[in-house]
């Protein structure tokens, strides 16, 4: 076996990145498990039960889920007894469901789409397990309170085969709605997903839960063993906008001003931290749920209203119409991943291009300062502060982009085989999505290198400016010291005469006829003593240095 094949094989075995063939078949037992919500109570009890679900005795006793728990505690439930009219919160959620069964029962009747076997060799025919009809489509825009009520009602009465939840600017009540209605087998995954979104983490993952090794023989021998898959990612980016009055009302994202343009302080831009999180959980390829959470608080063209008006799919950014059927969760995951990476690439290009343009002006100004021979800052340190801010922004952008590229590259190298398909129809789409992702990765790599180059350059410029300003201040301090030394010497020279004059100003000390003689003698003696203590040390050191210099010259 070649080294490359051996590396691929070991990577596949190490990460378990093999799609289990049981996902090609529908199983009523698995569907029931997916919709089996563990009892969590209601209100505050519900929040605490979800946060601590799945913890074992090896988990730390505190601070495990503090960010998520604090966020959930801020959820406010509406009062159904209050009949007074009030302003409805904006629609922040888009729900799209698809059912392929003819009846809506508590136990979802998945259609008979068991995999078809080739009569020649008995192998699975790719794509034969997937539903070919569009099924029954339900689609509605909801606010956070309506989402909570609707999910509780739907999960208690009927279950769709596929559900896609798109949430813009997730509120605490939206998070509670998700944790209150998630299946018990996916509670821990959704908990990790929500906290990672709140913390702005960067992560790509593809996992499978079930019998090991994931083979068709194992599935046949254990037809009721719990089997599920999880696909997801978290993307972070920085959005540059012109409006400086916007902020995240939830308090989970930060914003900061871009460095000012040289000579145009009125053109102020603001950088906003933003996050895109996506998760798919399911028990087979025909029965799954997708969650997509985005940050649009800074002002985007993307909105719930736009998707409703255009009848477009939310997670994929309108790449699919709601009437179009996405054949498998792997295909849908790669489509959403490619479109969202494309979105973040455009945002990164926007912010980095603007930053580079402004940094060019700072570099030109720095060169002009060098040519003028006066490389020092003014008294309010405005230029130094501008350089320090530029270095800080470069650090933040580079670190975020570098972390994202490293995580994405690891996912593409080691875990993307989990998303490989045997379906000829999906092969072309799968390859196209991967090509788009890799193309964006190459472009972002170039941006990352430019950020690093500018970071090193501006660090040098900042250090040069600070060093030059420090040297100028040192020279000025030395000159002030020389002036003070001259004044000190003059004071020492006049001190004996002033002291003698003070002594002989007393009329009873000496006869009036000899006062000048005594004054002169006293002044000379005091002058010699004062000069000895004041100047002898420095004169001696100078003589010693001169003597050493003469010896070296000989």
């Amino acid at each position: 076996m070649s080294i490359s094949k051996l590396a691929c094989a070991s990577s596949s075995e190490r990460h378990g990145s093999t799609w289990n063939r049981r996902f090609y078949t529908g199983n009523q037992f698995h569907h029931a498990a997916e919709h089996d919500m563990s009892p969590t109570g209601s209100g505050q009890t519900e929040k605490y039960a979800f946060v601590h679900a799945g913890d074992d005795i090896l988990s730390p006793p505190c601070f495990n889920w503090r960010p998520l728990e604090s966020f959930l505690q801020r959820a406010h439930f509406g009062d159904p007894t209050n009949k007074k009219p009030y302003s409805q919160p904006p629609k922040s959620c888009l729900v799209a469901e698809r059912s392929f069964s003819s009846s809506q029962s508590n136990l979802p009747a998945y259609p008979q789409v068991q995999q078809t076997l080739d009569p020649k060799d008995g192998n699975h025919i790719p794509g034969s397990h997937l539903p070919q009809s569009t099924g029954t489509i339900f689609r509605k825009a909801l606010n956070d309170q309506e989402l909570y009520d609707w999910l509780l009602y739907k999960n208690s009465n009927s279950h769709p085969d596929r559900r896609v939840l798109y949430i813009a600017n997730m509120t605490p009540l939206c998070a509670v709605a998700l944790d209150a209605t998630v299946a018990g087998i996916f509670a821990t995954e959704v908990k990790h997903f929500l906290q990672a979104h709140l913390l702005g983490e960067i992560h790509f993952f593809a996992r499978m839960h079930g019998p090991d090794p994931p083979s068709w023989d194992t599935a046949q021998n254990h037809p009721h063993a719990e089997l599920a898959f999880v696909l997801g990612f978290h993307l972070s980016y920085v959005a540059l906008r012109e409006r400086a009055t916007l902020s995240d009302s939830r308090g989970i994202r930060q914003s900061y001003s871009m460095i000012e343009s040289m000579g145009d302080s009125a053109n102020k831009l603001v950088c906003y931290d933003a996050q895109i999180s996506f998760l798919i959980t399911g028990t087979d390829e025909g029965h799954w749920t997708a969650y997509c959470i985005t940050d649009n608080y800074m002002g985007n063209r993307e909105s719930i209203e736009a998707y409703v008006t255009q009848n477009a799919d939310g997670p994929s950014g309108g790449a699919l119409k709601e009437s179009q059927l996405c054949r498998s969760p792997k295909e849908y995951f790669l489509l959403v991943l490619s479109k969202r990476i494309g979105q973040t690439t455009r945002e990164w290009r926007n912010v980095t291009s603007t930053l580079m343009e402004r940094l060019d002006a700072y570099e030109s100004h720095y060169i002009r300062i060098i040519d003028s021979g006066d490389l020092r800052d003014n008294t309010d340190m405005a230029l130094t502060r501008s350089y320090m801010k530029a270095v800080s922004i470069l650090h933040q952008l580079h670190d975020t982009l570098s972390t994202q590229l490293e995580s994405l590259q690891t996912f593409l190298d080691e875990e993307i085989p989990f998303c490989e398909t045997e379906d000829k129809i999906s092969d072309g789409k799968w390859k196209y999505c991967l090509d788009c992702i890799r193309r964006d990765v190459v472009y972002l790599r170039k941006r990352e290198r430019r950020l690093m180059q500018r970071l090193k350059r501006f660090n040098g410029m900042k250090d040069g400016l600070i060093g030059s300003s420090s040297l100028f201040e040192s020279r000025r301090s030395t000159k002030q010291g020389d002036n003070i030394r001259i004044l000190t010497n003059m004071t020492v020279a006049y001190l004996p005469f002033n002291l003698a004059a003070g002594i002989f100003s007393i009329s009873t000390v000496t006869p009036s006829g000899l006062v000048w003689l005594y004054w002169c003698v006293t002044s000379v003696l005091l002058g010699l003593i004062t000069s000895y203590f004041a100047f002898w040390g420095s004169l001696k050191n100078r003589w010693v240095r001169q003597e050493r210099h003469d010896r070296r010259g000989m």
Side-chain angles (χ1 to χ4, degrees):
M1 181 181 292
S2 64
I3 296 178
S4 60
K5 292 183 178 180
L6 181 61
C8 293
S10 62
S11 174
S12 177
E13 292 174 2
R14 182 170 63 254
H15 295 276
S17 52
T18 303
W19 191 251
N20 194 303
R21 288 182 176 272
R22 200 197 299 181
F23 292 143
Y24 295 143
T25 65
N27 188 303
Q28 297 282 6
F29 179 82
H30 297 157
H31 298 172
E34 183 178 2
H35 296 288
D36 183 17
M37 297 184 296
S38 56
T40 57
S42 60
Q44 297 295 331
T45 306
E46 176 181 276
K47 303 171 192 176
Y48 289 114
F50 172 75
V51 167
H52 299 290
D55 289 349
D56 55 24
I57 58 176
L58 299 181
S59 302
C62 56
F63 304 111
N64 282 352
W65 309 99
R66 178 63 60 85
L68 178 59
E69 186 174 0
S70 301
F71 188 73
L72 295 176
Q73 288 176 354
R74 292 160 48 189
H76 175 70
F77 296 86
D79 184 7
T81 62
N82 186 6
K83 302 301 182 181
K84 296 181 180 180
Y86 63 95
S87 58
Q88 289 283 347
K91 306 294 184 181
S92 59
C93 313
L94 180 61
V95 181
E97 293 184 347
R98 194 184 296 268
S99 299
F100 300 101
S101 56
S102 57
S103 62
Q104 294 290 334
S105 60
N106 289 338
L107 185 63
Y110 188 70
Q112 297 301 318
V113 292
Q114 302 287 335
Q115 62 176 2
T116 303
L117 302 181
D118 193 330
K120 295 181 180 180
D121 55 11
N123 293 328
H124 162 65
I125 298 179
S128 62
H129 63 286
L130 296 172
Q132 304 300 319
S133 64
T134 58
T136 304
I137 301 174
F138 173 83
R139 177 182 172 89
K140 190 172 184 180
L142 306 170
N143 58 43
D144 51 4
Q145 181 66 54
E146 292 171 343
L147 177 68
Y148 178 81
D149 297 335
W150 181 83
L151 285 178
L152 286 180
Y153 170 78
K154 290 289 290 185
N155 282 19
S156 300
N157 293 272
S158 61
H159 305 291
D161 293 313
R162 300 181 187 179
R163 173 182 291 167
V164 177
L165 297 172
Y166 171 78
I167 301 175
N169 305 320
M170 182 180 66
T171 63
L173 188 53
C174 284
V176 172
L178 298 182
D179 72 56
T181 56
V182 67
I185 60 174
F186 297 120
T188 302
E189 295 290 349
V190 173
K191 180 172 63 172
H192 282 277
F193 172 74
L194 294 178
Q195 175 146 299
H197 176 78
L198 294 176
L199 296 179
E201 295 180 356
I202 300 174
H203 189 37
F204 302 84
F205 53 92
R207 294 189 292 269
M208 181 182 66
H209 307 288
D212 188 28
S215 62
W216 178 250
D217 179 68
T218 305
Q220 292 283 10
N221 294 336
H222 306 279
H224 297 302
E226 285 190 2
L227 186 65
F229 59 85
V230 179
L231 307 170
F233 62 83
H234 298 277
L235 288 171
S236 291
Y237 66 96
V238 177
L240 187 66
R241 299 293 184 266
E242 292 181 340
R243 288 173 286 181
T245 58
L246 299 176
S247 61
D248 186 10
S249 59
R250 304 166 299 169
I252 63 175
R253 301 284 181 257
Q254 302 297 322
S255 61
Y256 49 92
S257 60
M258 173 66 78
I259 59 173
E260 294 182 356
S261 178
M262 277 286 184
D264 187 12
S265 59
N267 186 18
K268 295 184 177 180
L269 303 177
V270 181
C271 299
Y272 295 93
D273 291 339
Q275 184 84 357
I276 299 174
S277 299
F278 183 73
L279 176 70
I280 292 182
T281 62
T283 54
D284 58 60
E285 290 203 356
H287 204 88
W288 43 271
T289 302
Y291 307 85
C292 183
I293 307 175
T294 63
D295 289 333
N296 302 333
Y297 69 95
M298 78 294 291
N300 281 356
R301 294 181 179 178
E302 182 180 21
S303 64
I304 300 294
E305 293 76 12
Y307 288 134
V308 172
T309 303
Q310 300 173 14
N311 194 31
D313 175 62
S316 64
L320 291 175
K321 293 297 183 181
E322 192 55 44
S323 58
Q324 293 178 285
L325 176 64
C326 192
R327 295 166 57 83
S328 73
K330 295 183 292 183
E331 176 186 335
Y332 188 60
F333 169 76
L334 285 176
L335 174 64
V336 174
L337 179 62
S338 64
K339 294 300 180 181
R340 291 300 175 175
I341 289 181
Q343 174 192 354
T344 58
T345 300
R346 291 189 287 271
E347 293 285 0
W348 280 113
R349 179 174 59 238
N350 190 22
V351 66
T352 54
S353 298
T354 304
L355 179 60
M356 297 302 172
E357 179 183 352
R358 297 195 171 189
L359 293 181
D360 288 339
Y362 277 82
E363 289 185 11
S364 300
H365 182 258
Y366 185 81
I367 295 175
R368 288 196 298 270
I369 293 177
I370 295 177
D371 293 338
S372 67
D374 188 15
L375 186 60
R376 57 188 175 90
D377 206 349
N378 49 22
T379 54
D380 60 353
M381 304 292 288
L383 196 56
T384 301
R385 287 188 285 107
S386 298
Y387 286 177
M388 293 179 66
K389 184 174 182 179
V391 170
S392 177
I393 293 177
L394 284 169
H395 261 300
Q396 183 165 354
L397 295 181
H398 176 268
D399 293 347
T400 303
L401 184 56
S402 177
T403 303
Q404 181 165 302
L405 287 173
E406 182 180 353
S407 300
L408 179 57
Q409 192 62 53
T410 302
F411 176 78
L412 293 176
D413 293 340
E414 300 183 359
E415 297 187 18
I416 201 63
F418 190 79
C419 299
E420 290 181 353
T421 175
E422 300 176 0
D423 186 359
K424 295 181 179 179
I425 299 177
S426 300
D427 278 343
K429 298 178 181 178
W430 189 82
K431 184 178 182 300
Y432 174 76
C433 291
L434 285 182
D435 289 342
C436 292
I437 293 173
R438 293 193 172 99
R439 179 193 60 201
D440 291 332
V441 169
V442 171
Y443 177 82
L444 291 177
R445 287 289 185 193
K446 297 178 181 179
R447 289 288 166 168
E448 179 194 15
R449 287 193 292 269
R450 289 199 64 187
L451 287 173
M452 176 54 68
Q453 293 169 357
R454 286 299 181 95
L455 179 58
K456 293 179 179 179
R457 193 180 309 170
F458 262 76
N459 262 325
M461 292 168 55
K462 173 180 66 75
D463 295 340
L465 181 62
I466 294 177
S468 179
S469 299
S470 301
L471 180 60
F472 176 81
E473 292 296 330
S474 176
R475 289 178 176 177
R476 188 169 64 176
S477 299
T478 301
K479 187 176 181 180
Q480 290 178 351
D482 293 339
N483 295 334
I484 293 174
R485 181 171 54 84
I486 294 173
L487 293 176
T488 302
N489 293 339
M490 293 178 62
T491 303
V492 171
Y494 279 101
L495 181 61
F497 301 101
N498 293 334
L499 180 58
I503 293 174
F504 288 98
S505 65
I506 304 174
S507 58
T508 58
V509 173
T510 59
S512 59
L514 303 175
V515 63
W516 289 105
L517 178 61
Y518 285 106
W519 181 83
C520 290
V521 173
T522 305
S523 298
V524 171
L525 292 175
L526 291 175
L528 291 174
I529 296 173
T530 304
S531 299
Y532 175 80
F533 286 104
F535 304 111
W536 174 250
S538 59
L539 291 174
K540 182 179 179 181
N541 292 334
R542 184 177 299 178
W543 290 339
V544 171
R545 288 195 299 269
Q546 185 64 34
E547 184 178 358
R548 291 177 179 174
H549 183 269
D550 295 341
R551 290 178 180 177
R552 291 174 182 174
M554 294 175 60

